[in-house]
Amino acid sequence: RENDFDALIWQYAGAYGLDPLLVKAIIATESGFDPQAFRPEPQIGDASRGLMQVLFKTATWMGYRGDPEGLFQAETSIRYGSTYLNYQWARYAGSAAQVTDAVAAYNAGTAFKTQDPAGRLTYKNQDYVTKVLHYLAGYQASQTQPPSGSVPVAEVLREQPPEAAPE
């Protein structure tokens, strides 16, 4: 089950210049590779759906034009999850903490850091970041190779992330 989605992971990670093992680590953390994973998010009036637990509002912002249930399709979830991760990756380009900042922002949005009483910035979702990095290290140690026959997306993806995140 864990490797069932490798071809799609490598395809969309390659399309966005992302590390496919990072995308896979996010899927492991977000849904445990369950394409039907669902988590209500009542505080924001939405729900996380599918392998990459993409919010419908986020997917729509990234160019998705289907209904919320479409996010349970593996390819749709990986495509729009990778689109959003690419957006966060680009936001933190050049940062010494690019990986952790992008991962934290993927999960918690733009307000992912908080200041502790000593004035140090910390991740609100440190447990999430730690779990993703743990999976990533495991995948890197096992030297997972791209599945045979996988190729990057043939056409340029037309939907580019907008300049600013929705409120």
Side-chain angles (χ1 to χ4, degrees):
R1 177 175 168 143
E2 182 176 349
N3 297 318
D4 290 353
F5 308 103
D6 281 356
L8 290 170
I9 292 168
W10 261 261
Q11 178 181 355
Y12 285 102
Y16 288 111
L18 298 168
D19 179 348
L21 299 179
L22 177 59
V23 173
K24 189 171 184 172
I26 288 174
I27 292 171
T29 304
E30 289 283 353
S31 69
F33 298 96
D34 178 3
Q36 297 303 310
F38 179 82
R39 183 177 60 243
E41 304 282 359
Q43 71 281 12
I44 58 171
D46 204 345
S48 298
R49 293 173 174 84
L51 289 168
M52 294 192 76
Q53 291 290 279
V54 178
L55 294 168
F56 180 64
K57 290 177 185 174
T58 300
T60 302
W61 176 60
M62 292 284 134
Y64 177 66
R65 299 295 174 247
D67 61 29
E69 285 67 39
L71 294 171
F72 290 118
Q73 296 173 357
E75 183 168 5
T76 303
S77 183
I78 293 170
R79 177 181 182 176
Y80 288 96
S82 295
T83 302
Y84 187 58
L85 180 59
N86 178 62
Y87 169 74
Q88 296 298 355
W89 188 260
R91 285 184 69 214
Y92 299 101
S95 163
Q98 182 179 18
V99 174
T100 53
D101 283 355
V103 166
Y106 179 89
N107 174 254
T110 55
F112 65 89
K113 285 188 180 179
T114 188
Q115 200 164 16
D116 70 12
R120 294 177 301 234
L121 288 177
T122 60
Y123 295 112
K124 291 180 181 178
N125 55 350
Q126 184 61 54
D127 289 344
Y128 174 86
V129 172
T130 300
K131 192 171 182 181
V132 169
L133 296 178
H134 172 76
Y135 279 117
L136 178 59
Y139 294 140
Q140 289 171 338
S142 69
Q143 299 179 6
T144 302
Q145 298 297 314
S148 62
S150 71
V151 293
V153 176
E155 67 184 61
V156 175
L157 299 174
R158 284 174 241 153
E159 294 90 38
Q160 293 301 314
E163 291 299 313
E167 295 299 318

